Amino acid sequence: MAEKSESSRDAILAAARREFAARGYAGARMEAIARRAGINKAMLFYYFSSKEKLYQTILHEVMSEFFTQISGLVTTELTPALFMEKFPELYIRLCADHPDFVRIVAFDLIHNPDNICAVMAGIISQMTSFQPHPLFELIKRWHEKGLISEADPIHFMMNIVSLSIFSFIGKPMVEAISGIRVASDKDFYRKRVTSVVNVLKQGMLK
Amino acid sequence: MAEKSESSRDAILAAARREFAARGYAGARMEAIARRAGINKAMLFYYFSSKEKLYQTILHEVMSEFFTQISGLVTTELTPALFMEKFPELYIRLCADHPDFVRIVAFDLIHNPDNICAVMAGIISQMTSFQPHPLFELIKRWHEKGLISEADPIHFMMNIVSLSIFSFIGKPMVEAISGIRVASDKDFYRKRVTSVVNVLKQGMLK
DNA sequence: GAATGGTTTAACCATATGGTTAATATAACA
DNA sequence: TGTTATATTAACCATATGGTTAAACCATTC
């Protein structure tokens, strides 16, 4: 019985993730989530008392996954060069493997930044393995030692994150404008990593 | 009377732009648009026969503005260095001046890429002053001449566009993670331009 | 000043949608 | 086997929402 209940809950979460990713919060339909999960709509409200609550659960799940993965990076003996290699590598793979996550987070960043920022802050404060402040201090020291050219850690990170993530949102746009369609997504993202790492190391390493 | 009609139409368009940007297509309410425009809801349907049509009008308007501005760039005698300076400069200013535009386009890129790509393609094909294919050919030639390090024009453009646009979506995220709040948006985006231009020129120019 | 044509409104309508209820099925356990 | 707690469903409900209608308003023209 516990099994059945678990499978229902999981089915709901999986279906909800897809639906929210595909249509955004306002566009998502509880009915559609139920159908996708192969259950009755009333079940949704049995397991999750409201649309809002279901959404927050998903959001939390998604963000946790991301931060857990990233925390693995920062523990290493970090050099700027290593960081600029490993971060895009990890981030681009992560986004490519979980396209739904990117859409959900991006949507919330655009339309509900306060909420998602609160969720992030909550997750970070609960994690013992990853605290961002030391990372930003480290970046500052890298510049003081003359290892990197960008003095402001915010812009340093922004450059890395931009190059890593944006293609997942902007790819269709660049394709539409250029008229060039990338042949295979897998190849595209592999090439993306090398291009990003090159630009970063050449562009920000002193 | 023509004045009054024009002002109603314009009021609707302005209100719709704000509402769609704030809540996305599905979350936007025709009622709310009417209220924001200071008119009756029925007026919306008098001027724009449906929500979908109103949205498409906005989308078209927004994209046209963008492409018109960008077309001004490409006509110049273009060198890679010049391009890497002027493009981020223009793009970041444009996005900072029209935050609604960014949100609308980003939303559609995430949830409805086919539609917005079709709109883009339509606008480009109608413009005589900007055709992207020659630009992409030019980029290819820059690499053949040994002026830039990235061989693939798609990734070359992707790097430039990513660095220019992403901060408008990701700023709250980086702020939340770092715990650092940027003091003034104006200063932030000015610094953003210099940081981006530095990375690009150092990172992609040979 | 009445006819004309675009503009504006209040009052409606049909339907979609988040959410509820009361009853049933099912497994576990005493 | 009867009791209990959880899981599941069909049928509802209230409200929100995109869209409509018919009448009024107003400026212009004849």
Side-chain angles (χ1 to χ4, degrees):
Chain A
M1 190 136 200
E3 272 173 46
K4 220 173 180 183
S5 121
E6 268 308 297
S7 84
S8 275
R9 228 189 103 96
D10 288 352
I12 291 173
L13 284 172
R17 218 180 305 139
R18 287 183 55 197
E19 175 76 5
F20 283 128
R23 311 196 194 284
Y25 178 79
R29 297 290 158 241
M30 295 300 268
E31 178 77 45
I33 293 173
R35 220 178 316 120
R36 279 190 194 209
I39 52 149
N40 190 289
K41 192 176 64 151
M43 283 285 282
L44 292 185
F45 293 90
Y46 177 70
Y47 282 103
F48 303 91
S49 50
S50 69
K51 186 183 187 182
E52 182 64 31
K53 211 150 199 177
L54 175 56
Y55 185 68
Q56 294 296 337
T57 307
I58 299 272
L59 209 58
H60 209 274
E61 195 192 52
V62 166
M63 301 304 302
S64 290
E65 169 86 10
F66 258 77
F67 279 109
T68 305
Q69 296 267 358
I70 288 167
S71 75
L73 243 189
V74 186
T75 48
T76 341
E77 275 300 308
L78 222 45
T79 64
L82 205 61
F83 187 60
M84 291 184 207
E85 274 169 32
K86 293 299 173 193
F87 189 96
E89 215 172 283
L90 174 67
Y91 231 72
I92 291 173
R93 182 175 52 72
L94 219 58
C95 292
D97 288 348
H98 303 285
D100 287 353
F101 290 11
V102 183
R103 288 164 130 171
I104 291 173
V105 172
F107 178 84
D108 238 42
L109 276 173
I110 295 170
H111 293 293
N112 209 4
D114 289 346
N115 177 56
I116 198 164
C117 289
V119 172
M120 280 191 224
I123 290 172
I124 289 173
S125 74
Q126 282 186 341
M127 288 176 70
T128 52
S129 54
F130 173 57
Q131 290 299 323
H133 299 63
L135 174 64
F136 279 76
E137 287 302 314
L138 183 59
I139 295 170
K140 221 180 267 175
R141 256 176 287 134
W142 284 343
H143 179 255
E144 283 158 12
K145 283 188 204 160
L147 297 173
I148 57 174
S149 43
E150 174 59 65
D152 187 333
I154 285 278
H155 286 276
F156 179 85
M157 274 307 291
M158 199 69 94
N159 292 338
I160 296 178
V161 175
S162 301
L163 285 165
S164 302
I165 298 187
F166 183 75
S167 59
F168 293 93
I169 301 167
K171 183 159 87 66
M173 180 171 74
V174 174
E175 282 181 328
I177 293 172
S178 69
I180 304 167
R181 274 276 158 97
V182 306
S184 106
D185 272 9
K186 208 169 181 182
D187 284 353
F188 173 76
Y189 290 120
R190 195 176 311 135
K191 261 212 79 179
R192 193 84 209 99
V193 172
T194 67
S195 186
V196 168
V197 171
N198 280 341
V199 175
L200 286 174
K201 287 173 77 175
Q202 264 194 55
M204 296 213 294
L205 233 41
K206 253 193 201 162
Chain B
M1 193 140 199
E3 273 172 46
K4 220 174 182 184
S5 121
E6 268 309 296
S7 84
S8 276
R9 227 189 102 96
D10 288 352
I12 292 172
L13 284 173
R17 219 179 304 139
R18 288 184 54 198
E19 175 76 4
F20 283 128
R23 308 193 197 287
Y25 179 79
R29 297 289 157 239
M30 296 300 268
E31 178 77 46
I33 294 173
R35 220 179 316 121
R36 279 188 193 210
I39 54 150
N40 188 289
K41 192 177 63 147
M43 282 285 282
L44 292 186
F45 293 89
Y46 177 71
Y47 282 103
F48 303 91
S49 50
S50 70
K51 186 184 187 181
E52 182 63 31
K53 210 147 200 180
L54 175 56
Y55 185 68
Q56 294 296 337
T57 308
I58 299 272
L59 208 59
H60 209 275
E61 194 191 53
V62 166
M63 302 303 303
S64 290
E65 170 84 13
F66 259 76
F67 280 109
T68 305
Q69 296 267 359
I70 288 167
S71 75
L73 244 190
V74 186
T75 46
T76 341
E77 276 299 307
L78 223 44
T79 65
L82 204 61
F83 187 60
M84 291 184 206
E85 275 169 31
K86 294 298 174 193
F87 189 96
E89 215 173 283
L90 173 66
Y91 231 71
I92 292 173
R93 183 176 51 71
L94 218 57
C95 292
D97 288 348
H98 304 284
D100 287 352
F101 289 12
V102 183
R103 288 165 128 169
I104 291 174
V105 173
F107 177 84
D108 238 42
L109 276 173
I110 294 170
H111 293 292
N112 209 3
D114 289 345
N115 177 55
I116 197 163
C117 288
V119 172
M120 279 190 223
I123 290 171
I124 289 173
S125 75
Q126 282 188 341
M127 287 175 70
T128 52
S129 54
F130 173 57
Q131 290 299 323
H133 299 64
L135 174 62
F136 279 76
E137 287 300 316
L138 183 59
I139 296 170
K140 223 180 268 178
R141 255 176 288 134
W142 284 343
H143 178 256
E144 284 158 11
K145 283 187 205 160
L147 297 172
I148 58 174
S149 43
E150 174 59 63
D152 187 333
I154 287 278
H155 286 275
F156 179 87
M157 274 307 291
M158 199 70 94
N159 291 339
I160 296 178
V161 175
S162 300
L163 286 165
S164 302
I165 298 186
F166 183 76
S167 59
F168 293 93
I169 300 167
K171 181 157 88 64
M173 180 170 74
V174 175
E175 282 181 328
I177 294 173
S178 69
I180 304 166
R181 273 277 158 96
V182 306
S184 106
D185 271 9
K186 206 168 182 181
D187 284 353
F188 173 76
Y189 289 120
R190 195 177 311 134
K191 262 214 77 181
R192 193 83 209 101
V193 172
T194 68
S195 186
V196 168
V197 171
N198 280 341
V199 175
L200 286 174
K201 288 173 77 173
Q202 264 195 56
M204 297 215 293
L205 232 41
K206 255 194 200 161

